């Protein structure tokens, strides 16, 4: 019986060891990711025989490796660096890139770089972005970078689209956060101040001109009103003069008479003879 116990205990220990060291495992490839299976041994070993896998994947960890690549949008904020324009002005650029991977190009990406995505971002992609900025900056002057920033960034994006796109990295958005050198920034600020002062003076001149036009318009309106009134009064007087006949005057006098005859004091001893017709 003791022997049976020992055999049972030995079998249990052996089973435990087998379970502990067995190479079989599984990997869950989540949505928005692509997995690749790489054979480590056998006639089809190496990166030339990569298989794309999705969902739950069982594999032998001794002979197979599973690497997972995200295909959803990645956002990478790179460290700032300096670029030089063709007139030797130094600008600081702080790029931030949004991109995603073409799922069909995942095997090709791994074959070419043989690195996880994080290392590719900080290696090949980082160098590609820095080189794109430096190449484009070499064709711009410092003034043109600031006055044509959209054109500058469009050219950088075109370079990145071609360079990254052929390897399966699809460019989505790039922000540059370009900072000019202090001397150029001072010149830009002074120029903006001058422009603002000129615009303010022009606005004040336009406002004064508009106010003067209002005053002139009012004066012309008042003068016209006075002239119209004077003409109306003159025409009325002329009309009155034309209509004032002797008969009309006599009728006007009669209508205003109160019926009392006039009295005259000629003195006590004087006699006044009025001829009556």
């Amino acid at each position: 019986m003791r022997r049976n116990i020992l055999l049972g205990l030995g079998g249990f220990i052996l089973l435990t060891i087998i379970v502990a060291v067995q190479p079989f495992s599984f990997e869950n490839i989540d949505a928005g990711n692509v997995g690749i299976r790489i054979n480590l041994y056998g006639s089809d070993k190496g990166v030339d025989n990569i298989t794309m896998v999705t969902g739950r994947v069982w594999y032998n960890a001794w002979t197979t490796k599973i690497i997972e690549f995200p295909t959803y949008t990645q956002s990478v904020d790179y460290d700032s660096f300096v670029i030089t324009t063709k007139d030797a002005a130094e600008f600081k650029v702080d790029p931030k890139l949004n991109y995603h991977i073409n799922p069909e190009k995942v095997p090709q990406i791994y074959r070419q770089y043989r690195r996880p995505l994080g290392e590719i971002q900080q290696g090949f992609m980082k160098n590609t972005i820095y080189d794109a900025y430096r190449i484009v900056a070499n064709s711009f002057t410092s003034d043109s970078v600031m006055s044509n920033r959209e054109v500058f960034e469009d050219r950088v994006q075109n370079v990145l689209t071609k360079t990254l796109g052929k390897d399966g990295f699809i460019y989505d958005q790039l922000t540059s956060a370009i900072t000019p050198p202090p001397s150029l920034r001072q010149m830009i600020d002074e120029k903006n101040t001058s422009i603002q002062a000129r615009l303010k003076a022009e606005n004040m001149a336009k406002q004064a001109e508009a106010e003067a036009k209002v005053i002139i318009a009012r004066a012309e309106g008042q003068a016209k009103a006075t002239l119209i009134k004077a003409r109306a009064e003159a025409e009325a007087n002329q009309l009155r003069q034309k209509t004032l006949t002797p008969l009309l005057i006599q009728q006007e006098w009669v209508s205003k008479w109160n019926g009392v005859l006039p009295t005259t004091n000629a003195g006590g001893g004087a006699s006044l003879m009025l001829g009556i017709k």
Side-chain angles (χ1 to χ4, degrees):
M1 182 166 180
R2 182 178 178 183
R3 184 182 176 206
N4 291 337
I5 295 174
L6 291 175
L7 288 174
L9 182 59
F12 176 77
I13 294 173
L14 179 61
L15 180 63
T16 302
I17 294 173
I18 292 173
V19 171
V21 300
Q22 63 85 24
F24 295 100
S25 181
F26 68 89
E27 186 79 24
N28 285 319
I29 309 300
D30 299 328
N33 294 267
V34 169
I36 55 175
R37 186 203 306 268
I38 304 172
N39 294 319
L40 303 177
Y41 298 96
S43 58
D44 58 349
K45 67 179 180 180
V47 295
D48 291 334
N49 293 280
I50 294 176
T51 304
M52 293 178 59
V53 291
T54 57
R56 174 170 291 188
V57 181
W58 289 91
Y59 64 99
N60 186 331
W62 291 353
T63 62
T64 307
K65 180 168 64 173
I66 301 295
I67 296 180
E68 189 172 356
F69 275 79
T71 55
Y72 54 88
T73 300
Q74 302 292 307
S75 181
V76 187
D77 192 355
Y78 289 102
D79 295 333
S80 60
F81 64 102
V82 175
I83 58 175
T84 305
T85 59
K86 65 181 181 180
D87 57 348
E90 294 184 344
F91 286 76
K92 186 174 74 172
V93 180
D94 189 6
K96 183 176 183 180
L97 176 68
N98 291 340
Y99 77 97
H100 66 278
I101 294 177
N102 182 352
E104 297 178 356
K105 292 289 188 70
V106 169
Q108 174 185 328
I109 291 173
Y110 188 78
R111 288 190 189 100
Q112 183 171 354
Y113 300 104
R114 304 192 186 189
R115 294 285 187 277
L117 184 57
E119 294 182 17
I120 297 174
Q121 289 177 168
Q122 296 300 324
F124 160 73
M125 295 181 66
K126 178 180 179 180
N127 294 334
T128 300
I129 292 171
Y130 285 14
D131 289 343
Y133 276 104
R134 291 186 175 114
I135 291 171
V136 174
N138 197 37
S139 63
F140 279 77
T141 62
S142 55
D143 289 340
S144 60
V145 169
M146 299 307 299
S147 59
N148 300 282
R149 183 174 297 187
E150 291 184 1
V151 176
F152 175 83
E153 293 190 350
D154 285 343
R155 291 189 184 180
V156 173
Q157 292 169 8
N158 290 336
V159 173
L160 292 178
T161 299
K162 294 178 181 178
T163 307
L164 298 178
K166 65 183 178 63
D167 290 334
F169 302 98
I170 301 176
Y171 156 85
D172 292 327
Q173 185 181 16
L174 176 71
T175 55
S176 301
I178 302 176
T179 304
S183 58
L184 182 58
R185 169 56 63 186
Q186 182 179 357
M187 292 175 58
I188 293 173
D189 292 341
E190 291 175 353
K191 181 179 180 181
N192 290 336
T193 301
S194 176
I195 292 174
Q196 291 175 0
R198 177 172 57 81
L199 292 176
K200 183 178 180 180
E202 290 177 355
N203 290 334
M204 292 178 64
K206 290 179 180 179
Q207 182 178 357
E209 182 180 358
E211 292 175 352
K213 287 182 179 180
V214 171
I215 294 173
I216 293 173
R218 288 177 180 173
E220 289 179 349
Q222 292 176 355
K224 288 180 180 180
T226 302
L227 181 59
I228 291 172
K229 182 177 180 181
R231 287 177 178 174
E233 291 179 353
E235 291 176 358
N237 290 333
Q238 289 179 0
L239 183 60
R240 291 192 191 97
Q241 290 177 1
K242 290 180 180 180
T243 56
L244 287 177
T245 62
L247 178 61
L248 184 59
I249 294 173
Q250 186 175 5
Q251 289 177 350
E252 185 73 15
W253 178 79
V254 170
S255 64
K256 293 182 178 181
W257 182 45
N258 56 7
V260 179
L261 292 175
T263 57
T264 302
N265 187 0
S271 61
L272 182 62
M273 299 291 292
L274 296 176
I276 299 175
K277 295 182 178 181

